[in-house]
Structure formats: C-alpha cells, structure tokens
Amino acid sequence: MVNVLSRRVSRRRMLKVSGAVLAGATVPVGLLGRNVSTAAEPVKVGAIGSLTGVVSVWGKVLKEGAELAIEHINADGGILGRQVQLVLEDDESKPDVGARKARKLALEDKVDVIVGVNHSGVLLSIVEQLPQIEKIVIGSCATTSEATTQRFNRHLFRVHANSDQEGMSGALYAKDLPYKRWSVIAPNYAYGFETWGSFISNLKRLRPDIEILDIQAWPAFGAPDYTSHLTRLQAAKPHAVVSAMWGGDAVNLLRQARRFGIFDQIAFFSPAVGALDVLYALGDEFPLGLYTDAHAYWFEAPTSDRVATNKSFVEAYRKKFNAFPHSSAHGTYAAIKTFKRAAEKAQSVKTADLIAALEGIDVDAPGFSGTIRKEDHQVVHDIAWGRTVAFNEGGLKRGIGEVRWTAGNLVTPPVDEVLQLRQKGGKADYYQYVKNI
Amino acid sequence: MDHAGTGGGLLGADPVLITTLVLNAVTQASHMLLLALGLSLIFGVLRVLNMAHGALHVAGLYVGLSVVQVTGSWWVALFLSPLILAAIGAGLEVALIRPLRNRHPTHALILTFGLILIFQDIFKLFWGVDIKLLAEPHILSGALTVFGVAYPKFYLFNIAAAMAAVTLVWLFLTRTIAGRVIRAAAQDPEVAAAVGVPVPRVYTAVFALGTFLTAFGGVLMGTIMSFTPAAALDTMLYAFAIVVIGGLGSLPGAVLGSLLVGFIDAFGLLAVPGWSIAFVFIVMAAVLVLRPHGLLGRAEA
C-alpha cells in the first residue's frame, strides 16, 4: 500500500516537472520558478482586517483568531503536509485600501487564500477584485448580505451569519415582546441598512401591528457624537430601537445614550453592541437588559453539539491572548479551519479546486456548526439572541443571558429568494423602511 | 398617538427638543473650543499651524488614563495630564519647532503632521488599539434639570469648564504683564526682542499653554466619549474647520467658530438629517472663498 502511494506521488511529481519544462518553452523564467515550487514551501494564508481606525479592536482579534488557527493547524501537521504561514494586511476600514491589499496579497505575496475583512464596505470592494486576481476570500466578519446576493461571485465564501440572518433572528426574538413603535440608529452604509431592513421587515411580517417611525438616525461610520441624533430620536418616543453600531461607534453611542436616560425608556436591539470589544471597553457602564446576539457568537453559548470543542477553543484562546474570544476571532479561526478542510478535500490549494470543495462544505466553527450553501456561498447556522446581564470574570462586567436559539434555516432567506434578488439586482425590498438618510 | 417632533422643520417641534438641541450645541461648542483655542493661540503667536494639536488632545485621554490608574482620581487626571502634556509640548517646541523658525512654513506643517503618526504609534505601543475611555467621577454622573430639561451633569460641567478656561485665557492675555508680553511677541517679534522680550521663551510658553488647553479638553472628551489612536487625525479635522471659520489666530474667532459648528451640527440634523457633518465643511469652504482670513481674523498684510 505504502509502495503504491509513494509511486503515485513520485509519478505526479514527475509529471509536474515535465509540465514545467514544457511550459518553460513558452513562459518567462520568472513564472517557471513558481511552477516547480517544492512541497516544503509553506501554504500562505492572507488575512485582511481593520487594524487601525475606530474598529481597530475588531482587526486585532481577527489577527489573533488567525494566529491561533494557524498554530493549531501547524501543530497538527499543517495543510497537505505543508506548514501554514500568515500574511496580515490592514485595510484601515477603507474600501480602496482593502481592494489594494487584496491585490497585493494575491500578486506580490502569492497567498493561497484570503480570510477575514471586518468592514462591509471594504468587503464589497474586495469581492469585485476576486475573479480578476483569481483568489477566494473566506469572509469571517463583515456581514453585508449584498456580497452573497446581488454582488455574488463565486470567489467569496462566508463562515458566519450575514446581516439578513442577524436581522431575521433578532426579529424572531423580538416578535413576542410588547414593543410597538420602532426606530433605528445605525451607520449609513450597507451594514446599517441591511441589519435594520432585515430586522424590521421580518418583524413587520410577523407582527403587522407594529409602527415603523419615519424619524430615524443614520450617522456616518466613525462619527463620534450622537447626542443630537439621540435627542431627536428620544423626542419621537419609540418603544424600541434597532442599532447596527459597532466598535468605537457602539461605545460612544452607549455612553451618550445612557447619560440621557434612553435605556430607561427605550428597548435596544443590536447585534454588534454586545460584541466583546464593547463589553470590555464599557465594563460597568454597559447597560443591563440590552438585546443582542454578540455578533452571532457568544463564547459562553455554543450550540449543544459544540460544547466540548468550544470549551477547548475558549481556553486555548484565553491562555494565548489573555481575553475571551470575540466573534471576529472566532469567525477567522473557523475560516482558516474551513480552508484546511477544503484544501484536504480537494488535495489542492488552487482557487478552482478550493471553490469546488467549499461549495456545500460543513463548517465546524468552535461555537456552532453549519453548511455553506452551494448557491450563494453563505453558511447557514443557528443563531442565539439574549440580553445583557451582570457577569464577572476575566475583566468582563457584562455577559449575555436569557439566550434563545433559532434554527439556521428559519433565519436564512431561502435560496430561490436569494437567486431572484441576484437576478433582479438593485436593492433588497426592505430598503423601503430606510427613511430620513 | 404622540407625533411630537416628527416633522422635519423647526416650527412646531416641541420646546423640550429645541432646548435640548441648544444645550447639545453649546456642549459640542465647548469641546470644540477647548480643542481650537490652543491651536489658534499657537498660530496667533508662533505663526505655526500645529497639525499634531489633535494628537495632543487625544494624548490627554491616554495620559489621563494612566494617571487615574496610579492615583485613582479623575480630578487629579483632569489637571495632571494637561500639565504633563504641557511639559511635553514645551519640549517639542524647543527641540523641533524652534529650529524651523526661519524656514518656509510648510516645513513645520509637514513636521507636525509627521508627529501625528508618531503619536499614533506611541498610543498603540503603550496603550494598545483597544477603545479607551475615562469613567466620570460619581459626583458628576446623573442628570440635572435646566430650563425644564433633564440634562447630563457631566455635559453641563463641560460647558462650565470650557467657559472658565476661555475666560482665564482672555484675562491672562489682556490683564497681566505676561499676557502683554505674549501679545507684543505676537505682534512684532523683532521689536519685542529689541526691547528685551525673550521671544523664544515666550513661544515655548505659549506652545505649552496651547497644549495644556487641548489636553484638558482631551480628558473631558475621553470622559464623554471614547478614543482609539485613530482619533488623533479625526479630531484635527474639526479643530481645523473651526479655526478656519473663526479666523486663524483669533481667540474670539475660535469661540464664534466653535459655537457655529456646534449649532450647525445640532440643528442641521433637524433640517436635513445625514447632511449635518457636510454642513460644517460647506461653511468652512464658503468662509475660505468669501473671507479667507476667517470671520473674525485679521487679513495678513
């Protein structure tokens, strides 16, 4: 058996070498060097994150998640017998910088795959580049649904929930609560529009009696002062507000809203304000009773089939970085593990082979498992929402309690709907609920 | 059903909303004033546009954070952090700005811009990229009712602190001998030097005072909001808009510019939501075109 295998390998290598020699007749010498790369060369994983700017913590934890995944994979023999190496790039939360960094990773560093991306605007600009640079991105943080719907191309895969799923799961949590008058405060770009649109359109479907206010707040990403937006919102007297603030913006929003007593009057629903960076930054100042899904991963609440895996991930992460794992770290860890799985399934790290292997692949994230749909490359996994409660461990003062799970298929727009929107193009119908931009 | 305040216009909006917005505008004007006052002062005397002024503002929070860690007191941080930064400011002036005195003004501009990047790296190195903030002292938490509106005590404290700071600076410049010396050095450095004014030392002192003011504002800002190292550049944009609108080097101009920006930001939101940030820069552009020396600035000879 061993003999047969080794013979097969040597035959393959021989073919490769002869192929290279043949190719050498027609291609420049520089490319030839690439073709004869030996098996000892490392597999290169490019990661793009927002390492500077108001959401720099998201970039930092993205990097940490990548480092831990690669450490684990290398300790376990690497990918296809090769060690894995990380090449990290900062997109500065700017779409043009992100696109440039993606090209750099593909063309200069010659990475085999790109993972990460925190900011939806950046992801959308990178996605457009991918067919041209012939690389895939396994998205691990930015949630814009547009990337897997209207702007779909075969080079993007996503291993965590998108904004449609986060919004829909929030609506399912909110439908049994008494709030009737709804409004929004969210950043004025794709992520903000989609999170609100998906949430409120689904809630309206489930609860036709709700009233959606015209007074809405759409500040710019990174604008630090929300005081007057909040004053205006407060005067409109909503019962509940959906928010898609994240990073430093979320911290500023919560600080300002708390001082004006807004949380005593208005219920607050937001995926990302409950993410770990905000919980760490605000400590005791973080209001109790806010509704959140911690950006689709709360380290204390894995699905029932992932309890042991999640525990060992959380412990390893804590030991290495002295903090609990943020959703962006968790997503990136899962993205690189999924890349390994796909490469081993395909026995290759070539883009076309990876695409084929990733379509329909199972994602074994530490906290949940899911499947990447063949049609839109979006993972479907269960999502839990809960409320912020007092907590006291490892520097955290708030945790998430009253956790309730919703099955992945209930929170994901069905394939035919996605394909229809892709064909039709333009904006999703729920943009009708975005007012007052 | 209560639809108070659902209209886009100002007329018919409820008085609580309007009063709160006025208070918001004045609060924001006080932030802006503490940021812009020092910038304008430094330019007025040294004729140097200090691009790192925003970085020194943000440094006020970071140093304040470490002071709170050591002393446990926010009040100590409010004064000690600006003092430490004033000393750093004085050092920067002596080591970097003074040698560029007789060079083209763009040299100092580029140098201080470079300082922003260095400061950002220092913030990352010592305090990390995490979101940083200061907790308000207990006595200033909660709300106070003013003009029939419950308004956060800390915001009101901010307004009072900015008013006190600008009054003190004004009294210092107009009523003290040191102030007169500074004005003399600003008006004509050569004549001032001829009559025995130690001009270089005056410049260092003014740079330190300007840094003190911006760092003081930084501690207050870091208590209202939060900062990451990126704020070093972002804050500079606003400071710049204010001094351009008001007039570079003019203290009344800094006050007027701050108030204008505060009111534009707060009320622009009611008129055209989503455009209020653009308004500030539209006004800045208009001032630059129509009155290049600013609303209250003096035209250069």
Side-chain angles (χ1 to χ4, degrees):
Chain A
M1 197 63 192
V2 173
N3 252 337
V4 174
L5 262 180
S6 65
R7 201 177 302 153
R8 199 179 286 159
V9 168
S10 66
R11 189 166 156 251
R12 192 189 296 151
R13 189 174 287 165
M14 202 184 74
L15 278 173
K16 208 171 170 183
V17 171
S18 59
V21 170
L22 278 176
T26 51
V27 297
V29 186
L31 285 176
L32 184 68
R34 235 180 117 198
N35 279 358
V36 292
S37 62
T38 60
E41 217 170 88
V43 170
K44 280 187 175 179
V45 173
I48 300 179
S50 299
L51 295 167
T52 50
V54 285
V55 294
S56 52
V57 185
W58 288 67
K60 185 183 86 170
V61 296
L62 182 149
K63 168 184 145 255
E64 291 173 355
E67 284 171 357
L68 188 64
I70 288 173
E71 185 185 299
H72 286 177
I73 289 171
N74 281 340
D76 202 29
I79 293 177
L80 302 174
R82 293 157 64 187
Q83 287 290 289
V84 182
Q85 188 190 329
L86 180 67
V87 188
L88 184 71
E89 289 294 341
D90 177 14
D91 61 38
E92 302 165 24
S93 304
K94 292 177 188 147
D96 56 321
V97 178
R100 200 171 69 229
K101 293 299 173 68
R103 281 198 300 275
K104 179 201 167 267
L105 285 173
L107 305 175
E108 280 177 40
D109 301 307
K110 302 193 164 52
V111 297
D112 296 295
V113 66
I114 299 171
V115 300
V117 190
N118 297 114
H119 189 288
S120 286
V122 176
L123 182 66
L124 286 171
S125 90
I126 290 176
V127 165
E128 283 177 359
Q129 307 277 325
L130 296 176
Q132 203 192 350
I133 59 177
E134 292 176 18
K135 280 288 163 264
I136 59 160
V137 163
I138 305 183
S140 63
C141 182
T143 60
T144 176
S145 312
E146 217 175 304
T148 43
T149 314
Q150 300 96 314
R151 312 260 283 263
F152 170 86
N153 76 55
R154 293 189 66 212
H155 296 74
L156 176 71
F157 293 85
R158 194 150 39 195
V159 293
H160 65 99
N162 65 23
S163 17
D164 280 353
Q165 293 165 316
E166 281 201 276
M168 206 157 163
S169 56
L172 283 163
Y173 193 97
K175 76 173 172 28
D176 302 322
L177 299 168
Y179 314 117
K180 274 196 166 166
R181 289 167 61 83
W182 288 79
S183 186
V184 58
I185 181 162
N188 60 355
Y189 70 103
Y191 171 62
F193 299 145
E194 291 174 5
T195 305
W196 159 250
S198 166
F199 188 108
I200 206 67
S201 61
N202 281 298
L203 188 61
K204 185 78 188 166
R205 187 171 50 78
L206 298 160
R207 281 274 305 272
D209 63 318
I210 63 161
E211 186 188 349
I212 301 165
L213 302 189
D214 279 348
I215 294 276
Q216 304 181 352
W218 296 100
F221 172 75
D225 189 358
Y226 305 111
T227 319
S228 291
H229 277 294
L230 291 169
T231 301
R232 194 166 147 268
L233 212 53
Q234 207 171 10
K237 299 190 167 63
H239 298 152
V241 162
V242 175
S243 176
M245 294 298 182
W246 60 301
D249 288 354
V251 172
N252 283 331
L253 177 75
L254 293 185
R255 292 202 96 184
Q256 292 162 27
R258 184 184 58 85
R259 290 206 176 97
F260 282 89
I262 282 181
F263 299 115
D264 305 331
Q265 305 158 359
I266 302 172
F268 204 82
F269 289 77
S270 171
V273 301
L276 270 179
D277 57 317
V278 187
L279 296 181
Y280 273 122
L282 280 170
D284 278 333
E285 269 191 40
F286 198 106
L288 294 168
L290 261 55
Y291 298 95
T292 183
D293 73 347
H295 199 241
Y297 174 71
W298 173 241
F299 68 90
E300 283 237 305
T303 50
S304 55
D305 58 324
R306 309 297 295 166
V307 174
T309 325
N310 183 63
K311 189 163 178 260
S312 71
F313 167 71
V314 173
E315 276 167 8
Y317 189 91
R318 241 190 127 177
K319 201 169 148 214
K320 191 166 164 74
F321 302 110
N322 195 27
F324 292 114
H326 188 284
S327 67
S328 169
H330 175 262
T332 310
Y333 183 89
I336 295 177
K337 284 292 194 103
T338 306
F339 164 63
K340 173 184 158 83
R341 195 180 249 250
E344 280 168 359
K345 186 171 150 195
Q347 284 296 301
S348 156
V349 290
K350 286 209 182 77
T351 296
D353 300 336
L354 287 174
I355 291 176
L358 281 164
E359 289 185 333
I361 205 168
D362 288 335
V363 172
D364 278 329
F368 47 73
S369 49
T371 304
I372 291 183
R373 295 200 296 203
K374 192 174 185 309
E375 295 83 356
D376 63 353
H377 296 185
Q378 172 61 48
V379 76
V380 176
H381 68 72
D382 301 355
I383 301 182
W385 277 68
R387 304 186 76 179
T388 49
V389 294
F391 188 87
N392 199 356
E393 209 191 323
L396 267 189
K397 300 287 183 195
R398 293 289 181 266
I400 296 167
E402 297 178 35
V403 169
R404 223 163 63 207
W405 286 93
T406 314
N409 62 328
L410 296 178
V411 302
T412 312
V415 167
D416 52 337
E417 233 173 70
V418 171
L419 294 182
Q420 216 178 341
L421 186 53
R422 186 194 300 169
Q423 196 121 53
K424 184 171 87 77
K427 299 286 177 207
D429 285 343
Y430 53 55
Y431 270 75
Q432 64 181 294
Y433 297 115
V434 176
K435 303 273 170 69
N436 245 316
I437 313 163
Chain B
M1 186 104 341
D2 186 353
H3 279 291
T6 47
L10 292 182
L11 294 171
D14 71 293
V16 172
L17 175 63
I18 297 299
T19 313
T20 314
L21 284 177
V22 169
L23 287 166
N24 292 349
V26 178
T27 306
Q28 202 190 341
S30 359
H31 299 158
M32 294 296 150
L33 183 57
L34 286 171
L35 179 61
L37 197 58
L39 184 66
S40 209
L41 188 67
I42 290 169
F43 184 83
V45 179
L46 281 78
R47 299 278 132 183
V48 166
L49 185 58
N50 176 22
M51 297 297 284
H53 199 70
L56 292 163
H57 181 77
V58 177
L61 161 78
Y62 282 113
V63 174
L65 211 65
S66 298
V67 173
V68 169
Q69 262 166 13
V70 174
T71 66
S73 163
W74 182 86
W75 292 100
V76 173
L78 180 63
F79 293 99
L80 187 56
S81 163
L83 279 175
I84 293 171
L85 278 147
I88 293 171
L92 287 176
E93 201 279 333
V94 171
L96 299 173
I97 311 284
R98 193 181 288 178
L100 298 187
R101 184 94 285 256
N102 295 317
R103 305 249 207 105
H104 195 272
T106 48
H107 291 195
L109 204 68
I110 293 166
L111 177 93
T112 52
F113 186 83
L115 281 179
I116 300 179
L117 308 177
I118 294 174
F119 270 109
Q120 282 183 330
D121 280 344
I122 291 175
F123 299 154
K124 279 184 216 164
L125 199 66
F126 287 98
W127 291 277
V129 297
D130 299 13
I131 304 155
K132 296 292 183 205
L133 48 86
L134 285 163
E136 67 219 358
H138 189 65
I139 192 169
L140 293 178
S141 67
L144 205 67
T145 304
V146 281
F147 309 117
V149 174
Y151 207 70
K153 274 187 209 164
F154 193 80
Y155 285 38
L156 296 170
F157 174 78
N158 232 292
I159 298 173
M163 280 166 70
V166 72
T167 311
L168 285 173
V169 168
W170 183 74
L171 286 175
F172 171 70
L173 288 177
T174 55
R175 302 288 160 85
T176 66
I177 294 173
R180 267 179 229 154
V181 168
I182 289 173
R183 277 161 47 216
Q187 238 147 34
D188 195 331
E190 278 166 28
V191 173
V195 298
V197 172
V199 174
R201 243 188 289 161
V202 170
Y203 283 173
T204 309
V206 167
F207 202 92
L209 175 62
T211 309
F212 180 93
L213 289 169
T214 198
F216 181 75
V219 176
L220 292 173
M221 267 303 246
T223 311
I224 282 199
M225 301 186 186
S226 68
F227 285 146
T228 59
L233 196 56
D234 304 344
T235 0
M236 197 59 210
L237 281 178
Y238 263 100
F240 199 60
I242 291 156
V243 294
V244 166
I245 292 173
L248 259 173
S250 158
L251 298 195
V255 176
L256 181 69
S258 304
L259 281 169
L260 259 176
V261 168
F263 275 88
I264 291 171
D265 245 18
F267 285 91
L269 205 60
L270 274 197
V272 193
W275 273 81
S276 61
I277 290 183
F279 279 151
V280 171
F281 294 97
I282 291 169
V283 170
M284 183 178 95
V287 168
L288 272 176
V289 171
L290 301 173
R291 231 185 120 80
H293 46 281
L295 295 179
L296 298 181
R298 281 172 303 139
E300 296 282 327

